[in-house]
Every structure is written in structure tokens, then in C-alpha cells.
Amino acid sequence: MTRKDKWGNPVSHISTDAVARLERATELLACYQTDPVAELDAALAEHPDLIMAHAMRGAIMTTTTDKAFEGEAAKSLLAAESLARHANDRERGHIAALRAWHDGEFEQAVEQWGRVAVAYPRDLTAIQFAHLGDFFLGYSAMLRDRIARVLPHWEASVPGRGYVLSMHAFGLEETGDYARAEEAGRDAIALNGKDGWGVHAVAHVMEMQGRAREGAAFLQDSADVWAPGSLFSFHNFWHQALFHLDQNDAKAALRLFDERISAGNFGQALELVDGSALLWRLSALGHDVGERWKDQADKWETRIEDGIYAFNDMHAMMAFVGAGRNEARAALIATVERVAAGGRGTNAMMTREIGLPAVKGIDAFGRGDYRTALDLMLPLRGKASRFGGSHAQRDVFSWTLTEAAIRAGDRALAETLAAERLGLKPESPLNRDWRSRARDLTAPKAA
């Protein structure tokens, strides 16, 4: 027997309780609140044949981009596939997407979730996983357009409309439509102040527009609403730390690292990425971060051989450089070279084009070989989106290159990179400092 959830999506299960649990898990995930997996596990304990619960659980595990969850993802995938003969078309689409991601074909998986969302435009789960996949692939236009496809089906009366608005807001921000992005993000927050993705989208707008003081205040003043119970708070606090750094307030950034960003003890790769990204920015500016690199490096060392996502590998190298782990650096380079030579799967492509030179560039920076770091990383800036992340996250390329050019004594390049940064954020104290440092370098002698 097939039932329909409150959005009209078919669920091949007879139990109204099972459908209700799926609905709760769907909204918890969309809001990034605890704990959709616990809700799904409770549903499966009562209804082990609930196909969508297996498919959704597996997708949550795989999109952590963390091999630590690979076993659980495989368990959910196999359970879903064993029930596939009883599934409807929608559920089979979810299973196919999960299989593709598990097999390393990220692009195929995202396209499959996207097709499900076209056929069932109120399938919030398919929409969200396609959106997350577009993020991990760096598909900026699709972050916007894939949501625009379904938005007409989410009228004001449809429960959960705000979650779709928040995804659209992020897509608009990533494609430079800042006014519309902020409006959509604030509309989403007005519908539900706990919507971590909506808060995230507005923070991104302020980051890209150089509204650092306003951005820090926005996150601080709203945190009591969105942070409690949030699965995503570490990342929004990371954005707040960036706002402080842009104002040259390293102490405030480090305080957020200690109290908000690392407070979850870096249980998964997504958290480790933010921790490394913040400490790297601080260290590159010459700030002493104490022993904070040690815990980061310890956690990344357990993942050296994973080779699961090139974006992670670059941030792992930051930690190994910061902690002075030379053996770990060499081992990571070996892993990344192996993945790049593998030839199959989306991550192999990402690693060949971006990941390998980025990892080697960070390593060179750590050795004080700034010219090699520049040679490796400068050509990546125009295509860095190919290995995922947001504009704000990939700004670490510009950050590292600007500092490397100054340390290499390359005044012309340093001034050029500082000018680029000031073109985007002319009022940034940090960018003005870089320009001043670049101008203080000895001018090259005429030939």
C-alpha cells in the first residue's frame, strides 16, 4: 500500500506512523537541527521495511564526505536495495542516487536526486541532497537554478517553504545576486529562526559584500535562536570568526574557535575543515594559535589514506603543516597522488585538477618555499570551484597566495593580489594591511 506524506510524495508503506516519522526527520534535516538520524533509526526500529528511511539515512551518511561514516552508509544502501522491488519510482530514484554517490560518482548522484526533484517538486529530501551535492561539486549556477525549478510548487501555504527559500538564497548568493539572496534568506529566517541554512545564506551575503562588523553582529544577536540543537552551528560560528578576522580581531576569532567551533570535538570531516581553515588563516597572518593544531592534526591523521574528497585533503595538509607533521605531509601527498592516478570517479577528477596541486602548494608554503607555492596555486584560482566549497571557503586560495607573494618579496604580484581583494572589499582593514605590506616591499629594479 502507498501513502502520501504531507507534501504529496508517495511513500510505499502502510503505516501512518512511519510516514510521520519520515516527515519529522525530513524537517529536522532541512533545518539542520538534531537529530534526523535518531528519528530515522527510531522509525526503522519499528518499521524495518521503511525504504525511504534507509535511503535518507544513507544519504545523510554519504554527504558527510567522511569515510568514517562509510560503513553506516553502506549498511543503509544495502538495506534500501534489498527492498527496492517494493519501492515506487520516487524511492528507486533515491536509491539510485545513493548507489551512485557510494560508488564515487558524485555528479551522477546529484543528477539523479535532481531528476527526482523534477518529478516530485515537493520532495524536500531530494531537493536538499541535490543542493548539497551541487555545493560539494562547486556548481554555483545549479545551487540557484535547481531550487528555482521547484520554487513555484512551494506556495506560502506549503509547510517547509522556508527551507526551500533558504536554499534558493544560498544559490543566489553564490551567483552574485546579493540583494535577492539576502531578501530570500531573511524571509526564510522569518518563517523559522532556527533555519541554520537561511542564517548561513545571509551571512554569506555579508561576507561577500565586506559587511564584517554587521555580519558579526547579525550572527551574535541571532545565535540564541538558531544555535541551540543545531547540527550546523560550528559553520555559522566559523563565518562569525571570519568577520572578526576581517576586522583584524584575531582574539575574537580564536575565542570562537575554542568556545564554538571546536566545542563539538571535531567529530567529523566537515567540522575539521572549518577548524583547519580558520587556524590556517590565522597562522598565515602570523598569529600564534598555540597547541590548537595538535588536535586537528591528530584527527586528520586517522583520515590520511581515505582519499574521499579533495577539498578535505587540502585542509588536512593545512593541519599537518601547522602541527609540523612532516611524515603525515608526505603520506598525504602519496595518497593524493594515488587518487589522482586512479582515473575513476568524481573525486579522482577533482584531485587531478585541483586537489593535488593545492595540497602540494600548501606543503610548499609550509616549507617556506613561497615561489613554488605561488607556481602551484596561482593557476588554480580560476577553476577552484571544480573541487567544491563556497566562494567564502575557496577564498583561502587568495588569502594564501597574497601572503605567499609578500613573503616571496614579489611586490608586483603582491600588489596585484591585494588590489583584487580590495576591489571586492575596499573597506576591509585586513585587505588594506595587505596592500600596505605589499607596497613596503622593495620595488623591482628596471631592466
Side-chain angles (χ1 to χ4, degrees):
M1 180 178 176
T2 296
R3 293 189 177 275
K4 290 188 176 182
D5 64 22
K6 64 183 177 182
W7 297 288
N9 301 304
V11 180
S12 59
H13 204 280
I14 192 172
S15 169
T16 56
D17 173 70
V19 175
R21 286 180 180 273
L22 277 176
E23 292 170 348
R24 286 196 291 273
T26 297
E27 293 207 65
L28 285 170
L29 180 62
C31 198
Y32 293 92
Q33 287 283 311
T34 55
D35 182 355
V37 173
E39 189 67 44
L40 292 169
D41 285 344
L44 288 167
E46 295 292 329
H47 313 285
D49 57 344
L50 184 54
I51 297 169
M52 266 305 298
H54 289 296
M56 184 177 176
R57 185 180 187 276
I60 292 172
M61 297 297 177
T62 57
T63 54
T64 61
T65 68
D66 194 334
K67 200 167 185 176
F69 298 99
E70 188 174 67
E72 287 298 309
K75 173 183 170 183
S76 294
L77 171 60
L78 292 175
E81 288 181 331
S82 73
L83 296 167
R85 65 187 181 277
H86 305 297
N88 58 43
D89 286 344
R90 172 190 172 231
E91 292 162 343
R92 281 192 289 271
H94 277 275
I95 296 169
L98 178 55
R99 166 54 69 183
W101 192 287
H102 183 76
D103 289 346
E105 301 295 342
F106 302 160
E107 294 169 307
Q108 182 181 333
V110 174
E111 184 59 27
Q112 184 62 52
W113 276 313
R115 290 177 184 176
V116 174
V118 168
Y120 302 94
R122 289 186 181 175
D123 185 339
L124 188 56
T125 303
I127 295 167
Q128 186 172 10
F129 285 125
H131 188 65
L132 287 172
D134 286 329
F135 170 77
F136 289 128
L137 293 170
Y139 290 172
S140 298
M142 293 309 298
L143 283 166
R144 175 195 63 200
D145 296 345
R146 207 182 297 278
I147 309 305
R149 294 174 181 176
V150 302
L151 197 54
H153 298 271
W154 290 81
E155 301 89 349
S157 60
V158 179
R161 169 179 162 81
Y163 306 133
V164 182
L165 285 177
S166 67
M167 286 186 268
H168 195 222
F170 183 61
L172 290 168
E173 178 275 320
E174 287 294 288
T175 49
D177 195 344
Y178 299 132
R180 290 178 64 208
E182 183 166 358
E183 180 182 7
R186 289 188 181 277
D187 285 348
I189 297 167
L191 289 169
N192 184 353
K194 287 185 171 293
D195 186 344
W197 200 253
V199 171
H200 173 246
V202 174
H204 265 268
V205 170
M206 294 178 176
E207 168 69 25
M208 299 309 293
Q209 292 183 323
R211 296 155 59 188
R213 190 176 302 279
E214 182 183 357
F218 164 71
L219 290 172
Q220 181 65 37
D221 293 345
S222 60
D224 287 345
V225 178
W226 54 259
S230 174
L231 296 167
F232 196 61
S233 64
F234 66 91
H235 187 70
N236 282 338
F237 284 122
W238 177 80
H239 276 284
Q240 187 178 349
L242 290 191
F243 288 133
H244 288 308
L245 268 186
D246 202 42
Q247 299 173 79
N248 285 329
D249 190 348
K251 288 184 178 179
L254 278 171
R255 186 164 56 250
L256 280 167
F257 178 91
D258 292 335
E259 297 176 2
R260 297 291 197 170
I261 299 169
S262 67
N265 198 30
F266 297 112
Q268 58 175 295
L270 292 171
E271 295 170 310
L272 283 167
V273 163
D274 281 354
S276 294
L278 179 57
L279 292 183
W280 181 259
R281 284 166 170 81
L282 283 157
S283 297
L285 293 175
H287 296 293
D288 182 4
V289 301
E291 294 297 310
R292 294 175 178 87
W293 276 123
K294 181 181 182 302
D295 183 62
Q296 286 276 295
D298 288 347
K299 298 281 176 39
W300 279 122
E301 280 201 19
T302 67
R303 295 167 165 87
I304 283 180
E305 297 183 1
D306 289 358
I308 195 171
Y309 186 41
F311 194 77
N312 292 356
D313 294 332
M314 181 180 72
H315 288 83
M317 181 56 81
M318 293 175 186
F320 298 151
V321 167
R325 305 277 177 92
N326 293 336
E327 290 185 7
R329 287 157 70 171
L332 180 62
I333 289 174
T335 292
V336 175
E337 288 177 334
R338 169 178 56 79
V339 172
R344 182 177 176 275
T346 305
N347 188 52
M349 174 274 291
M350 292 175 162
T351 302
R352 280 191 298 273
E353 294 195 22
I354 311 296
L356 181 56
V359 164
K360 288 185 173 181
I362 295 294
D363 178 61
F365 187 100
R367 289 186 280 105
D369 187 352
Y370 303 117
R371 178 51 59 187
T372 296
L374 290 167
D375 290 343
L376 286 165
M377 297 183 71
L378 198 59
L380 303 181
R381 293 180 63 234
K383 58 181 180 180
S385 63
R386 293 183 192 175
F387 87 148
S390 66
H391 295 307
Q393 288 176 308
R394 293 189 301 268
D395 184 53
V396 75
F397 281 90
S398 173
W399 195 291
T400 304
L401 287 165
T402 305
E403 188 63 32
I406 290 173
R407 295 188 188 192
D410 190 332
R411 178 174 176 176
L413 181 57
E415 285 191 307
T416 297
L417 293 170
E420 285 183 5
R421 298 189 65 84
L422 282 162
L424 294 171
K425 299 179 183 179
E427 303 303 319
S428 164
L430 173 65
N431 291 341
R432 290 180 174 182
D433 283 354
W434 262 320
R435 179 179 61 186
S436 177
R437 290 174 60 203
R439 288 177 173 175
D440 285 343
L441 296 171
T442 302
K445 295 180 180 179

